Each structure stands twice: as C-alpha cells, then as structure tokens.
Amino acid sequence: MTTRNATICITPTAPESFRVYGTLKTVHGVRVIEVHTGFYVSADLKWQACRAESGREWHVYSSDRRTDAASYITTRRDAIAAMVEIATY
C-alpha cells in the first residue's frame, strides 16, 4: 500500500521528460490521485474526473478517453462519487 500524500506517476509509459505526476490523497473519503484541483485520477489509473474549460461542470471518463461516463456534474464531490460508482460497476 502506498503511503498517504505520495507522489504517483499517472503516465508511466511516457518518456521521462513528458511524465505527469499527482499526489495520492483521500478526497471526500475516496483514495484518488490529485494532479491539480481540476483533475483527479482513480487510484487504479482507470478513470479520470476533469473540470470542463468553462469551469461550471465536471466530466468523468475512462483513462483512454473512449468512454465518457458522466458529464454535467456540477461539484467536485459528485464527480469523485461518480468516478467511484463507475469504477465499481
């Protein structure tokens, strides 16, 4: 088990100079990797919650961006909850 607030690479197959890192955190009772306040990745790296460019809604989709699982979510809490619900579905 990885320690709390550990730095995690979310793009391990990318060349070293292009890798993206996030911090493993517990947000609203869920273990997620926070890349920044508008972008979260599930701990298993399969689902992502991203704030839309407008800043008014969130989108939840698979890491390969082939499945747009949820959109029109207005709060971070609901986006993370949707990400967990989809991951356990």
Side-chain angles (χ1 to χ4, degrees), residues 3-82:
T3 59
R4 190 172 159 219
N5 291 336
T7 300
I8 307 287
C9 178
I10 66 166
T11 54
T13 58
E16 190 170 341
S17 60
F18 293 103
R19 290 186 183 159
V20 177
Y21 293 87
T23 304
L24 184 64
K25 294 184 174 185
T26 302
V27 179
H28 303 300
V30 178
R31 300 285 284 169
V32 294
I33 300 168
E34 181 184 62
V35 178
H36 58 78
T37 58
F39 189 73
Y40 294 87
V41 179
S42 62
D44 62 0
L45 303 177
K46 292 183 180 178
W47 295 96
Q48 300 174 352
C50 180
R51 190 168 204 146
E53 288 182 28
S54 66
R56 289 178 286 211
E57 61 187 35
W58 289 77
H59 299 283
V60 177
Y61 47 85
S62 62
S63 292
D64 60 6
R65 296 186 184 239
R66 292 183 181 169
T67 306
D68 185 7
S71 56
Y72 302 107
I73 298 171
T74 57
T75 65
R76 177 175 65 171
R77 178 185 295 267
D78 291 342
I80 290 173

